[in-house]
Amino acid sequence: MSVLILLCGHCGVPESAGSASFGTDVEARWSANLCHAAEEALRGTRSVEDLLTVGPDLEGQILVLEAAIRSGVDPLRIRFLDVWRVGKDAGDLIVHIRGALARMRATGGVKDSPRRSARTFRGALPRRSLLLPTVRYWAPLPRVDASRCVADAGCDLCVRACPASAIAGGNPPRIAPELCHGCSVCLAACPVAAVGHPALDFEGVEAEAGVLADGPRRTLLVACTATLVSLDSNELAAAPGPWRLLEVPSLGSLRSEQVLRLLAQGFDRIVAVGRGPCCPEGQAPFEVARALLANLGVPDRILFWNVQVGPVASDWAKALPSGGRPLPAVRSIHELALALAGSGGSAIDLPGRGAGLVTVEPDLCTFCELCAERCPTAALRIEDGDGGAVRITFDHELCDACGLCSPVCPEGALRVRSAVDPAAVGRRDRLAEDTWVCCRSCGRKVAPAAMIAVVAARLSSPAGLDLCPDCKPLRLVPSR
């Protein structure tokens, strides 16, 4: 046995939910009162690698967690499924259990992965932590892959994105375990996927969503852990049947293209569910995805709701007319825009990161290369052309409008626009072109002509600008 499922009858989970077949490596145990009998339910679990619990409230989950750790289960291989809070239908619970199992299997090994200790549990401060201040709970700690990180080029997007100020700049950046909240916003902020963790990566989320989408078309509710642990059926203004519930560390842990990939699994809609300010900037990826689809003629497929305002609208649980327009399975915003609008489509402005268009003012650019050096994805490049030409080129598909390039331009020649242009997908465009000035003595490249002109205009005596550093003293300093 490698996976154990515990279900709590005291919390209203029907015994029939544990009778389904979940695989030969899975055992399901239903307990009439798991909340107060965790030790008994976990007897004989020394061979368990993964534990999935359905039923206990937050305090009961802690008791199960502590008992499971004492039984030898890695705390990062323990998952709590909260869908029982909004519905007790056995069929729906079974689908969600299968989805959770798919995510756990896709997660892979976490034995040696970074982790942090904290007094909070699943985003809340339990009573047990107040009574026993020394109690600590384990949670994943994102790690930075130094081989992929581009902090040495000036990227600090993860540092700026962290709402807890837990990431210090460096090469690579350092994440302070005592400050990290586990929101995973840093994963979404990194344009080169250098920040990650097996228990937090999107592959597991996508695997779970794929199972939840199986069967009749549904509405997917995406909610952060802090919202889920307090969610109840009164906050859904419809029978729970049409809903599918997906947990993420925070709404801001997803990138806009990942939101679209979830929708493309086959859901009618995605509703991001938050509770007040629980997820800083959590609406951003959903707003970008919503705006893109609305401009492509696919409106009302991605929505956001704050449950503090009232129950989730019942209309959002209804099937779309004619089943809705299916989305193609794509990997990026650029691919989706091209698939739905065609190569002749116009550029679509977006309200945030996801895709970007860069323009350069040729009369101001000196081809200093600072923008290309700062670009973390190589969307911008300085390239040599025929006949001594030097060019700035741009690959739209590689740009997510991170905005790192524009501030470093000393001439103010570069602009970044959050937008996607189907006509620019699949090609590298030339933004500006100049010619190299070569050393009049040895023929080596000195600088682009535009840079020579700018420097010459600022010097009272511009002599020797067409000489390389090696030849300049030989030609300009009189010999004795």
Side-chain angles (χ1 to χ4, degrees):
M1 177 179 61
S2 61
V3 183
L4 176 64
I5 304 172
L6 298 180
L7 306 100
C8 182
H10 178 259
C11 296
V13 179
E15 187 172 2
S16 57
S19 61
S21 174
F22 298 109
T24 57
D25 61 338
V26 180
E27 178 185 347
R29 298 179 184 177
W30 182 86
S31 172
N33 195 347
L34 179 62
C35 299
H36 300 94
E39 295 281 0
E40 180 179 346
L42 284 162
R43 284 178 184 169
T45 58
R46 289 294 174 183
S47 60
V48 170
E49 296 180 3
D50 296 278
L51 175 65
L52 175 62
T53 302
V54 186
D57 59 14
L58 196 66
E59 300 296 332
Q61 290 176 0
I62 290 173
L63 296 177
V64 173
L65 173 70
E66 294 176 350
I69 293 174
R70 287 193 294 270
S71 297
V73 183
D74 188 315
L76 299 190
R77 301 297 296 182
I78 301 172
R79 168 82 186 272
F80 296 95
L81 195 60
D82 294 290
V83 66
W84 63 275
R85 300 177 188 275
V86 297
K88 306 294 194 297
D89 178 78
D92 289 336
L93 287 172
I94 289 170
V95 171
H96 281 86
I97 290 172
R98 288 183 172 138
L101 292 173
R103 183 171 182 171
M104 296 171 80
R105 288 172 174 137
T107 296
V110 296
K111 182 178 180 181
D112 299 319
S113 60
R115 55 196 68 199
R116 59 185 176 85
S117 64
R119 291 187 64 196
T120 57
F121 172 71
R122 305 192 71 206
L125 184 64
R127 293 191 300 270
R128 193 168 179 79
S129 292
L130 299 175
L131 297 173
L132 302 171
T134 59
V135 170
R136 290 292 185 270
Y137 308 103
W138 291 102
L141 179 69
R143 58 185 171 191
V144 181
D145 185 344
S147 68
R148 305 187 71 168
C149 180
V150 289
D152 59 342
C155 180
D156 63 348
L157 293 172
C158 61
V159 177
R160 286 192 265 164
C162 180
S165 300
I167 306 179
N171 186 24
R174 301 176 304 280
I175 301 176
E178 68 278 7
L179 297 177
C180 179
H181 294 168
C183 66
S184 297
V185 169
C186 53
L187 276 72
C190 181
V192 293
V195 187
H197 192 285
L200 301 172
D201 291 344
F202 180 69
E203 286 72 16
V205 175
E206 192 170 33
E208 182 172 0
V211 174
L212 297 182
D214 192 24
R217 299 179 69 88
R218 305 285 183 174
T219 293
L220 180 68
L221 303 181
V222 180
C224 69
T225 302
T227 297
L228 273 182
V229 296
S230 58
L231 194 66
D232 62 57
S233 58
N234 294 327
E235 292 173 316
L236 299 179
W243 308 115
R244 291 290 182 257
L245 206 56
L246 182 68
E247 178 181 356
V248 292
S250 72
L251 297 180
S253 68
L254 297 174
R255 294 171 63 89
S256 50
E257 70 267 18
Q258 293 172 341
V259 175
L260 293 166
R261 283 166 60 179
L262 294 179
L263 183 63
Q265 296 275 9
F267 296 101
D268 275 351
R269 303 176 187 82
I270 287 182
V271 180
V273 181
R275 186 179 298 280
C278 64
C279 294
E281 304 299 324
Q283 281 185 250
F286 295 89
E287 284 297 320
V288 170
R290 182 204 62 77
L292 174 66
L293 291 180
N295 279 280
L296 291 172
V298 192
D300 302 326
R301 300 291 296 275
I302 296 176
L303 308 141
F304 180 87
W305 190 254
N306 179 1
V307 293
Q308 287 184 337
V309 175
V312 177
S314 58
D315 287 347
W316 293 355
K318 296 178 181 178
L320 292 173
S322 303
R325 182 179 179 182
L327 292 186
V330 296
R331 307 296 294 181
S332 70
I333 283 179
H334 311 79
E335 289 182 11
L336 181 64
L338 180 61
L340 295 185
S343 59
S346 302
I348 299 170
D349 286 313
L350 302 173
R353 278 181 66 186
L357 292 170
V358 173
T359 56
V360 172
E361 179 56 55
D363 293 338
L364 296 178
C365 179
T366 62
F367 299 83
C368 66
E369 302 190 26
L370 289 176
C371 59
E373 291 174 357
R374 184 60 61 91
C375 180
T377 63
L380 284 169
R381 285 208 309 246
I382 301 293
E383 300 176 343
D384 287 343
D386 297 333
V390 57
R391 300 164 179 160
I392 296 181
T393 64
F394 174 66
D395 189 332
H396 179 40
E397 281 191 89
L398 297 179
C399 181
D400 78 341
C402 71
L404 288 174
C405 55
S406 180
V408 301
C409 180
E411 310 301 333
L414 187 146
R415 298 287 183 272
V416 181
R417 171 186 171 195
S418 293
V420 60
D421 185 358
V425 176
R427 70 177 192 230
R428 179 169 282 274
D429 291 324
R430 186 184 309 174
L431 301 184
E433 183 172 334
D434 198 10
T435 56
W436 283 104
V437 171
C438 295
C439 178
R440 57 184 165 87
S441 179
C442 70
R444 286 172 53 190
K445 292 176 181 176
V446 177
M451 183 180 294
I452 295 288
V454 169
V455 174
R458 296 175 184 177
L459 295 177
S460 58
S461 177
L465 292 181
D466 57 351
L467 292 169
C468 70
D470 291 335
C471 295
K472 188 173 296 185
L474 299 176
R475 297 296 299 270
L476 297 183
V477 179
S479 60
R480 294 181 180 180

